[in-house]
Amino acid sequence: MNLHTSVTESFSAKLMEILDHVEYRRVESSEDMEEVARIRYKAYKMADILPLSGTQLIDDVDFDPQAYVFGVYYDEQLISTVRMHHVTPDHRVSSSRDIFPAEIDAFLDAGMSLIDPVRFAADPAIMKEMPAIPYLTLRIAIMAAAYFDTDRVLQLVSPQHAAFYKRVFYAQTIVPPTRNCGKYNIDLTLMATDTKDVGRKLLTRFPFFISSPSERRMMFARGEVSTLPSLTILPTARYMPAGDLGVDLPL
């Protein structure tokens, strides 16, 4: 075992321990949406990502039928939030597409389906003490890709964070750093993870991203089999059988 492998395994074990304290909630109640708005406001004000008016940051797209807003709770305290878009050729609602329509449409016109994780926000004070928050939050994107059997997970991020997504999620650059991106105050780059190509490698390297089919159903099922609003969902990575990646994708 080389040093890099040893460090990765130690990091993965630590993340697995943190995951034991984590709960996910799909946000559909007005009360929980207010909590999401507050944490978005605190995060975006500190980073100066978007022009802010008032104290709320909830928009119509939060309620799109193929959008899923989640809160991540650590010991019952909301620490972060993210919104997932399931983007298909027939349903092209996507925050990343608003910024880079030609590139997103190229994927969709080729018949691909996408997960677009946006509106990631973490409590700034907690983020300093818990650098694992991006891993805990973006685990939801990996679950979404498995549940919806998508071809890509998108990453619309600032250039300074591109190295993280390349290293952890094997993301490839689709659009290089670009200025004047609509309403955003920062430069943005568009990246994408080829889930069919690197999914197995990703889950083998970082087992805390693994999830059970039942966990994914509770996260994303709607309609007659939908979960109750704000149902607490416990991560299942630790309880998956050894060697079972817990995915339905042909990885």
Side-chain angles (χ1 to χ4, degrees):
M1 180 184 299
N2 60 40
L3 178 59
H4 178 74
T5 301
S6 178
V7 171
T8 300
E9 290 183 353
S10 175
F11 175 74
S12 294
K14 184 175 294 185
L15 260 292
M16 197 72 82
E17 292 177 2
I18 294 174
L19 205 59
D20 288 340
H21 297 265
V22 169
E23 300 171 353
Y24 296 119
R25 297 180 195 171
R26 194 170 77 202
V27 178
E28 295 181 336
S29 72
S30 58
E31 181 180 349
D32 284 345
M33 207 54 105
E34 289 176 2
E35 275 196 286
V36 165
R38 285 194 291 270
I39 203 168
R40 284 178 179 176
Y41 182 81
K42 288 194 290 185
Y44 294 160
K45 183 177 181 180
M46 173 167 283
D48 191 26
I49 293 175
L50 291 165
L52 302 175
S53 58
T55 59
Q56 301 296 306
L57 261 175
I58 300 297
D59 54 48
D60 291 341
V61 183
D62 282 309
F63 305 98
D64 181 82
Q66 290 184 199
Y68 303 79
V69 180
F70 292 95
V72 181
Y73 293 77
Y74 183 86
D75 287 343
E76 301 184 358
Q77 179 181 3
L78 180 65
I79 60 173
S80 66
T81 179
V82 69
R83 184 172 76 209
M84 299 288 155
H85 290 277
H86 177 214
V87 191
T88 64
D90 296 329
H91 193 92
R92 302 194 176 204
V93 177
S94 159
S95 295
S96 294
R97 184 174 178 268
D98 291 342
I99 307 300
F100 298 117
E103 290 77 11
I104 302 302
D105 280 343
F107 285 129
L108 299 173
D109 291 343
M112 295 186 186
S113 59
L114 316 168
I115 296 299
D116 186 19
V118 295
R119 285 289 196 262
F120 169 72
D123 187 305
I126 299 175
M127 186 73 167
K128 293 179 181 179
E129 302 174 2
M130 191 183 295
I133 286 178
Y135 296 89
L136 304 174
T137 308
L138 294 172
R139 179 175 179 268
I140 301 172
I142 304 302
M143 285 192 283
Y147 182 81
F148 292 108
D149 191 16
T150 59
D151 299 282
R152 299 287 189 277
V153 172
L154 303 176
Q155 297 99 6
L156 180 68
V157 298
S158 65
Q160 68 184 19
H161 295 141
F164 166 80
Y165 288 91
K166 183 177 181 180
R167 174 174 52 86
V168 176
F169 295 99
Y170 304 105
Q172 298 177 337
T173 300
I174 307 301
V175 181
T178 304
R179 296 190 177 190
N180 302 318
C181 295
K183 59 187 176 182
Y184 288 87
N185 297 331
I186 60 173
D187 296 352
L188 291 171
T189 182
L190 179 67
M191 309 178 77
T193 298
D194 185 336
T195 53
K196 303 296 179 68
D197 181 50
V198 306
R200 180 170 293 275
K201 179 168 64 171
L202 173 65
L203 297 180
T204 301
R205 184 183 178 199
F206 297 116
F208 51 82
F209 285 140
I210 295 172
S211 59
S212 69
S214 61
E215 182 184 357
R216 298 195 297 273
R217 282 195 300 272
M218 287 191 291
M219 294 286 282
F220 299 104
R222 279 181 171 158
E224 292 183 359
V225 295
S226 175
T227 60
L228 294 173
S230 304
L231 177 70
T232 294
I233 303 163
L234 300 178
T236 57
R238 184 182 291 280
Y239 307 105
M240 295 303 295
D244 186 347
L245 296 183
V247 295
D248 303 321
L249 294 171
L251 300 178

